[in-house]
Amino acid sequence: MKFGEQIKGRRQELGLTQAEVAKKLFVTRQAVSNWEHNKTYPDLNMLVKISNVYQISIDSLLREDQKLKNYLEQGRAMNSFSVSYGFIWIMFGLSYLLDDSTKVGSVAWDGMAAIFFLAMIYEELVSPFFLGINRRTFYRSGKRPDEKLSVFAKLFYGVFVLAVIISVILVHQGMSGRYAASVLTILVGFQYLLRKYIYVVKS
């Protein structure tokens, strides 16, 4: 039995309406309807809440629907990939601070640059296949179709824009562009590290 059929049947057994379930889960009624019609799936955190409200084990929900299991595994893979990629961006950002006027510093900087560009090629060519995401969808937005930006994301990008503006002002006032590039690259890295908080499942 598919996930949607399972929760619909259980909801009816409990004598609950979609609106009542939505209120308990703090989502919209449309979200509950989409789950029941297998149009979308909840993330792992929401699945735990569904298990409590519907009084049904998570194991049972997963065992009955392989697509749900694959969806959750894809989400974990994407978050893990983003964390690794985020650390590469941060390390590259820190490499701007290396003194490349010395032989050792020059080799270290070149090494970090090579790792960074190899990682970018990997992301562009391999990650959509690895994550099980349509290549066009991935290139267009870097997220799955059922995800949206969270409130945290809007605040984060607001800070990023502010950092860009401040960096431009400071560079015009004589600050080395390397420091500005370092800060902005590190912020991009944090965007990847915090991906699970930046994108949330549409409700």
Side-chain angles (χ1 to χ4, degrees), residues 27-61:
V27 297
T28 62
R29 189 204 61 78
Q30 186 61 45
V32 177
S33 176
N34 286 339
W35 295 337
E36 291 189 357
H37 289 89
N38 295 300
K39 291 182 178 178
T40 60
Y41 286 115
D43 61 15
L44 186 58
N45 291 333
M46 183 56 67
L47 194 65
V48 172
K49 296 176 182 178
I50 289 172
S51 173
N52 292 332
V53 170
Y54 285 84
Q55 299 169 28
I56 187 170
S57 70
I58 294 177
D59 181 64
S60 177
L61 292 170

Side-chain angles (χ1 to χ4, degrees), residues 91-105:
M91 292 300 295
F92 188 67
L94 292 173
S95 73
Y96 279 111
L97 304 179
L98 290 172
D99 181 6
D100 58 3
S101 62
T102 65
K103 184 175 181 180
V104 173

Side-chain angles (χ1 to χ4, degrees), residues 1-179:
M1 185 184 297
K2 292 184 178 180
F3 171 75
E5 297 168 352
Q6 195 174 7
I7 63 170
K8 181 178 180 180
R10 184 58 180 160
R11 175 178 62 77
Q12 291 172 341
E13 288 176 9
L14 295 171
L16 296 170
T17 65
Q18 288 183 348
E20 288 171 333
V21 169
K23 187 175 181 180
K24 289 175 181 289
L25 295 174
F26 300 100
V27 297
T28 62
R29 189 204 61 78
Q30 186 61 45
V32 177
S33 176
N34 286 339
W35 295 337
E36 291 189 357
H37 289 89
N38 295 300
K39 291 182 178 178
T40 60
Y41 286 115
D43 61 15
L44 186 58
N45 291 333
M46 183 56 67
L47 194 65
V48 172
K49 296 176 182 178
I50 289 172
S51 173
N52 292 332
V53 170
Y54 285 84
Q55 299 169 28
I56 187 170
S57 70
I58 294 177
D59 181 64
S60 177
L61 292 170
L62 291 174
R63 187 173 59 248
E64 296 288 338
D65 195 329
Q66 183 61 40
K67 285 187 177 180
L68 172 59
K69 190 183 294 186
N70 292 341
Y71 177 85
L72 294 174
E73 288 174 353
Q74 184 192 84
R76 285 197 296 269
M78 195 159 195
N79 286 329
S80 298
F81 177 85
S82 294
V83 167
S84 301
Y85 199 58
F87 276 119
I88 291 173
W89 272 87
I90 290 173
M91 292 300 295
F92 188 67
L94 292 173
S95 73
Y96 279 111
L97 304 179
L98 290 172
D99 181 6
D100 58 3
S101 62
T102 65
K103 184 175 181 180
V104 173
S106 178
V107 170
W109 199 93
D110 290 343
M112 283 302 306
I115 292 171
F116 177 75
F117 287 115
L118 285 173
M120 287 190 69
I121 292 171
Y122 174 81
E123 185 203 26
E124 290 295 318
L125 300 180
V126 180
S127 58
F129 171 78
F130 171 71
L131 298 170
I133 298 173
N134 177 275
R135 188 180 294 272
R136 182 178 295 178
T137 299
F138 182 82
Y139 289 159
R140 185 176 298 165
S141 61
K143 64 182 180 63
R144 294 185 288 188
D146 59 342
E147 291 180 326
K148 65 178 181 179
L149 288 176
S150 65
V151 174
F152 171 79
K154 294 170 184 176
L155 292 172
F156 180 87
Y157 289 129
V159 170
F160 185 84
V161 170
L162 185 62
V164 170
I165 294 171
I166 292 173
S167 296
V168 170
I169 293 172
L170 291 177
V171 168
H172 277 288
Q173 291 181 349
M175 184 186 79
S176 172
R178 296 176 63 160
Y179 296 116

